[in-house]
Amino acid sequence: MARKKSNEKVEKIINEIKNSKPKFKLQLDSKTTITLKTQEQLKKWMELYPKAQLIS
């Protein structure tokens, strides 16, 4: 069994997730849109999907 995380660590992780906002929205095709936080992630996805469109 894994160790249980303390309430402080859980609260810290939850706050980081709530406060982090994605910087980029990328539309891969007509049905699929993803959000990305870093420029490196954007470059990677643009290489995988050259027809993808950057929304914001």
Side-chain angles (χ1 to χ4, degrees):
M1 286 179 49
R3 290 185 178 181
K4 188 174 180 181
K5 291 185 180 182
S6 68
N7 288 338
E8 293 173 359
K9 285 188 178 184
V10 172
E11 288 295 324
K12 182 179 177 185
I13 293 170
I14 290 173
N15 285 334
E16 287 177 3
I17 292 171
K18 286 181 181 178
N19 294 331
S20 66
K21 294 186 179 179
K23 294 182 180 179
F24 306 103
K25 277 190 178 180
L26 190 64
Q27 187 168 11
L28 302 179
D29 57 27
S30 61
K31 296 181 181 180
T32 310
T33 302
I34 59 173
T35 56
L36 306 169
K37 292 183 182 178
T38 64
Q39 188 75 27
E40 291 81 28
Q41 290 175 334
L42 180 63
K43 287 179 186 177
K44 176 187 169 192
W45 281 97
M46 289 299 286
E47 288 174 2
L48 294 173
Y49 294 91
K51 294 182 180 179
Q53 295 179 344
L54 185 62
I55 297 173
S56 61

